[in-house]
Amino acid sequence: MTFNLDTYLQELEKLVNIDSGSKCLAGVERVGEYFADKFKTLGWKITRHNFDQTIAPCFEISNTDKEAYDVLLLGHIDTVFPAGTVQERPFIIKDKRAYGPGVIDMKSCILSTYYALEQLQAEGKLQDKAICLILNSEEEVGSNFTQTWIETLAAKSRYVLVIESARVNGDLVLSRKGLGRYDLEFKGVSAHAGVAPENGISAIGELAYWITQLHSLTDIAAGLTVNVGVVSGGTAANVIAEQAKAEVDFRYVNPQQIEQIERKLKELIAHSQQTGVKVIIQGGANRPPMIPNEKTKVLCALTEKIGQEVGVEVNWAATGGGSDGNFTAAIGIPTIDGLGPVGGGAHSATEYLEIESIEKRLLLLKKLIERAPQL
């Protein structure tokens, strides 16, 4: 089949111009239904999953009734952008790049996957291959309701290909850090800050101390980062703050680093700076690290060989960002990531897709889907 870039970009524009942040449930569902309808025309089996009322439906798309798969493809149909983002900055093309919310993370990636599978089917190259594509509706908020589903499908698959975008320099992704978060709530005692400050216990004061202590755990060389990214608290400048809250993100490469964070939290509770402050901690690790095994390295070698054949230089990157591939790699299934087009600026107003990368990256993915089951 001949690839038509203009048609591809017209389709991509429709998809990008749908607000589909994780909490924009109707928009996420529209994106999922768009792809479901396209795969229905190919005769593929579509299964909708409504895992929870707080997330949009997820889609399981397969060309087979078999219980096991040669290749499981992982994608997500939610973005990080709130309702109204499309109106502020809709899809545009400028200087060989396409821009818009979700253009590289990951609407173009799923669209490229559809084109690859459509072409393989038309060429008769999927007749003896069992393929399944997951479209997750809550990847950007942690896959809390979908992790078990993903792991169950991965456990009966030979290989997992994660269709997130390639890195800015074109690298594919071989390993990812594990990640997690904590929600912290501090409860102190309010008092007039000018008249009777000695009667108050500042929740904000205690939180400020915790921020510096938690940030001190960050060790870039060791792959551990801790970031207090969201804080709130207090009611007025002249009132000792009775309450404060914080949201903490952490990334790690081994379980000992989780233990290190947990020890610090226990130490902070036991030796608070503000006597009498109560602290409630919720959360923990929610994605294990994505670490390649020996079978993954064989899959990497095949990817590099195909790259030489299609004119794509294949190099591998490690990243601190998580994906659903973290789950599949952790249960031992060979998993590689970053098989979508090249782009950058994900999760920001500058998110972009390198248009010239689309066709070659599509061909790389297509040939890998075709040949991976032969390993």
Side-chain angles (χ1 to χ4, degrees), residues 273-344:
Q273 289 290 289
Q274 305 280 325
T275 302
V277 171
K278 296 179 180 179
V279 184
I280 299 171
I281 301 174
Q282 294 182 317
N286 55 32
R287 285 186 195 268
M290 176 180 160
I291 301 172
N293 59 28
E294 291 305 312
K295 288 185 178 180
T296 303
K297 294 175 184 178
V298 174
L299 186 60
C300 290
L302 174 61
T303 307
E304 292 165 9
K305 181 179 180 181
I306 294 171
Q308 293 175 349
E309 296 170 2
V310 302
V312 173
E313 182 179 353
V314 175
N315 296 300
W316 302 97
T319 179
S323 82
D324 287 336
N326 290 55
F327 300 131
T328 63
I331 64 171
I333 309 304
T335 300
I336 58 173
D337 201 338
L339 287 159
V342 180

Side-chain angles (χ1 to χ4, degrees), residues 139-354:
E139 191 269 353
E140 295 290 8
V141 290
S143 301
N144 298 305
F145 297 104
T146 55
Q147 178 181 348
T148 299
W149 171 56
I150 293 165
E151 291 172 342
T152 299
L153 292 178
K156 56 184 183 180
S157 302
R158 295 181 63 190
Y159 302 100
V160 172
L161 306 180
V162 186
I163 53 177
E164 295 275 2
S165 65
R167 304 299 90 180
V168 173
N169 63 356
D171 287 356
L172 278 67
V173 177
L174 183 58
S175 63
R176 292 179 178 270
K177 292 181 181 180
L179 60 152
R181 64 173 292 167
Y182 289 104
D183 293 320
L184 310 178
E185 183 176 358
F186 298 80
K187 295 183 179 181
V189 177
S190 64
H192 195 295
V195 176
E198 68 278 5
N199 294 332
I201 303 173
S202 175
I204 288 179
E206 186 66 19
L207 169 57
Y209 175 67
W210 281 53
I211 291 172
T212 58
Q213 290 294 302
L214 290 171
H215 280 191
S216 73
L217 294 174
T218 292
D219 186 339
I220 300 298
L224 174 63
T225 60
V226 182
N227 180 61
V228 182
V230 179
V231 297
S232 62
T235 57
N238 61 350
V239 177
I240 302 295
E242 182 179 10
Q243 60 81 31
K245 294 181 179 181
E247 298 177 21
V248 185
D249 174 277
F250 65 90
R251 311 290 166 119
Y252 67 99
V253 295
N254 62 66
Q256 289 73 31
Q257 292 171 327
I258 300 176
E259 295 171 6
Q260 182 182 351
I261 297 170
E262 291 175 345
R263 283 196 303 271
K264 173 60 75 172
L265 292 172
K266 290 177 181 178
E267 175 188 318
L268 288 167
I269 290 176
H271 302 93
S272 62
Q273 289 290 289
Q274 305 280 325
T275 302
V277 171
K278 296 179 180 179
V279 184
I280 299 171
I281 301 174
Q282 294 182 317
N286 55 32
R287 285 186 195 268
M290 176 180 160
I291 301 172
N293 59 28
E294 291 305 312
K295 288 185 178 180
T296 303
K297 294 175 184 178
V298 174
L299 186 60
C300 290
L302 174 61
T303 307
E304 292 165 9
K305 181 179 180 181
I306 294 171
Q308 293 175 349
E309 296 170 2
V310 302
V312 173
E313 182 179 353
V314 175
N315 296 300
W316 302 97
T319 179
S323 82
D324 287 336
N326 290 55
F327 300 131
T328 63
I331 64 171
I333 309 304
T335 300
I336 58 173
D337 201 338
L339 287 159
V342 180
H347 295 197
S348 78
T350 60
E351 182 177 354
Y352 68 89
L353 159 71
E354 297 282 6

Side-chain angles (χ1 to χ4, degrees), residues 4-20 27 30-31 34-35 38 79 85-87 89-94 97-104 106-109 111-112 115 353 355 358:
N4 188 310
L5 181 60
D6 289 337
T7 300
Y8 178 103
L9 292 173
Q10 289 168 10
E11 286 197 80
L12 183 59
E13 181 175 9
K14 293 178 184 177
L15 290 163
V16 172
N17 285 343
I18 299 172
D19 276 321
S20 54
R30 280 181 62 195
V31 174
Y34 183 91
F35 286 109
K38 290 181 72 65
T79 74
T85 304
V86 168
Q87 185 174 357
R89 48 183 188 86
F91 179 90
I92 62 167
I93 294 176
K94 182 180 179 181
R97 288 179 172 177
Y99 296 84
V103 68
I104 195 65
M106 57 179 302
K107 293 177 179 179
S108 61
C109 302
L111 187 60
S112 289
Y115 273 73
L353 159 71
I355 293 175
I358 294 170

